[in-house]
Amino acid sequence: MFKALVLEQQDAKTHASIRQLTVADLPAGDVLVDVAYSSLNYKDGLAVTGKGKIVRQFPMVPGIDFAGTVAESASERFRPGDAVILTGWGVGENHWGGFAQKARVNSEWLVPMPAGLNAQKAMIIGTAGLTAMLCVMALEEAGVTPDAGKVLVTGAAGGVGSVAVLLLARLGYHVVAVTGRPETHAFLSALGAKEFISRETMNQPCRPLEAQRWAGAVDVVGGEMLARVLAEMAYGGAVAACGLAGSFKLDTTVMPFILRNVSLRGVDSVSCPLARRVRAWERLAAELPEAAYADLVQSIALEAVPQAAQDIINGRVRGRVLIDLAQG
C-alpha cells in the first residue's frame, strides 16, 4: 500500500482526498517509479481545485511532475535503481501523476537525472523551473544578449517567474520584475532582480506602440499585460510566452512585429522533445547555485496540497512549493 492524493468529481465539483492505493491500481506503463518528491505548479492548482478544465477523467492522481527511483522496468532505457525525472506529457491530467508515492508511466516520458541534481533539487526546479530555462533558451536563440538591454519578467514572484529571474540574473542580464506583491521585492532582489514594476502599471491599456523599454521578456501572464509588453519591446527584441495566469486572450496589433522586428516565441514544456529537455535540465544543473535551492522553496507534505492549491490559484505562493512524499 502507498499514499496518494486522488481527485474525484461529484455534482460537477472536484474533491481531493488522501487514499491508500496498491500498485495494481496504477495505470499502464513500462516503468514503475518510487516517487520521492513532486512539486506544486499553477496547473496543479487548477486541477486540484477544479477551477480549470485540466482533469477530464476521474478518478485522477494529479501532479504534473515528479522525481524518484525506478523500482521496476520493462524498458531497455532504464533499470531498477536509476534516478529519473518526469515533467509534462499529460501526466497528472490524463494519466495518473506525481502526487503519490508510486507512479507507473511510459519510459519515453522519463529523463535520466542529470549529474549535479538529485530528486529533491530536481523538484525544487520542477516543471516551472524547466519552463523558465526553456524561456531563457528561447531568448538566447532569438539573439537577446545581456548587453542588449533590460529584460522583463512578468509574474516574477511565481514559480516560473522566480526561476527565470534567477537564471537571467546569473547569466548577466539586467532583470526587471513585474509583481503585484510589494512584499516579494526582497525575495526577488535576492534572486537578482534590479528593478520592479507593479502589476497594475503593466495591466494598463496601451497604444499599438509604446516607448521602447525591453530587449527581451519572459511572460507567464498573457492578456493585457502581454499586449503591453509587446508594445514596449525594443527593436529586434523577443518575448518568450509560456503562460496565461492573467488571460489566454491577446488583443494586440501587428505593429511591434512589422515596425520593430519583434518576435513572440511560444514556449511549451509539456510536449518538448526529449533532446531539448535533456539540454535544459543539464543547463539547470550547471547554472543554479547551491544556495538557490533553499532560497526558492517551501516544503510541504501531501496532506497540505489542497490548501496550497488554493493558495497558488489566489496568488499567495512565492517561489516554488516542494511536495515531500515521505512527510506526513
Side-chain angles (χ1 to χ4, degrees):
M1 303 290 287
F2 62 92
K3 183 171 61 175
L5 185 132
V6 181
L7 302 182
E8 296 179 289
Q9 195 167 59
Q10 299 173 358
D11 300 324
K13 293 184 178 181
T14 300
H15 300 271
S17 61
I18 303 296
R19 290 173 48 184
Q20 292 291 320
L21 303 178
T22 69
V23 171
D25 294 319
L26 294 171
D30 58 349
V31 177
L32 177 68
V33 179
D34 289 328
V35 179
Y37 296 94
S38 184
S39 76
L40 184 71
N41 299 277
Y42 189 79
K43 187 181 286 186
D44 297 315
L46 292 173
V48 174
T49 61
K51 292 183 179 179
K53 294 181 179 179
I54 303 299
V55 176
R56 299 178 185 273
Q57 302 172 9
F58 296 88
M60 175 62 62
V61 174
I64 65 172
D65 55 23
F66 64 76
T69 305
V70 172
E72 299 175 8
S73 175
S75 166
E76 294 182 355
R77 291 185 61 217
F78 298 101
R79 294 179 296 179
D82 287 348
V84 292
I85 305 169
L86 185 143
T87 62
W89 301 115
V91 171
E93 301 177 61
N94 50 52
H95 186 98
W96 285 16
F99 291 0
Q101 292 173 319
K102 292 184 183 294
R104 187 156 50 206
V105 297
N106 294 336
S107 56
E108 293 83 2
W109 301 341
L110 294 169
V111 173
M113 186 72 67
L117 291 184
N118 56 30
Q120 183 183 44
K121 290 180 177 178
M123 282 300 101
I124 293 173
I125 297 169
T127 295
L130 173 64
T131 304
M133 186 74 250
L134 292 171
C135 287
V136 171
M137 291 165 61
L139 294 183
E140 291 174 335
E141 290 158 3
V144 179
T145 58
D147 61 359
K150 297 177 180 180
V151 174
L152 189 74
V153 177
T154 69
V160 175
S162 59
V163 181
V165 167
L166 176 60
L167 287 169
L168 289 165
R170 291 275 298 175
L171 292 167
Y173 291 87
H174 183 110
V175 181
V176 181
V178 180
T179 176
R181 294 179 282 168
E183 66 272 16
T184 64
H185 285 190
F187 165 67
L188 292 167
S189 291
L191 296 180
K194 300 296 185 184
E195 301 178 47
F196 300 94
I197 298 180
S198 73
R199 179 193 304 156
E200 292 73 22
T201 297
M202 290 302 297
N203 271 331
Q204 292 299 312
C206 63
R207 297 171 296 182
L209 290 175
E210 297 283 352
Q212 301 183 45
R213 306 178 72 185
W214 320 118
V218 173
D219 178 67
V220 305
V221 177
E224 291 183 340
M225 192 175 296
L226 177 54
R228 174 165 284 278
V229 171
L230 289 167
E232 294 181 351
M233 293 304 296
Y235 191 92
V239 180
C242 64
L244 41 64
S247 174
F248 65 88
K249 296 181 180 180
L250 179 59
D251 183 9
T252 189
T253 74
V254 299
M255 305 289 268
F257 309 111
I258 66 173
L259 296 182
R260 291 184 179 167
N261 199 35
V262 169
S263 61
L264 177 60
R265 298 185 169 223
V267 173
D268 162 65
S269 64
V270 175
S271 302
C272 178
L274 179 62
R276 191 168 179 83
R277 284 175 189 264
V278 170
R279 188 158 68 253
W281 277 109
E282 288 173 345
R283 286 200 59 187
L284 284 161
E287 299 288 353
L288 290 178
E290 190 68 27
Y293 296 102
D295 293 340
L296 282 168
V297 73
Q298 56 178 301
S299 181
I300 64 172
L302 190 62
E303 288 79 1
V305 166
Q307 181 57 57
Q310 292 284 351
D311 290 342
I312 200 170
I313 293 301
N314 292 328
R316 295 196 295 264
V317 167
R318 188 190 79 175
R320 299 282 295 129
V321 178
L322 179 71
I323 302 170
D324 184 346
L325 274 301
Q327 280 192 44

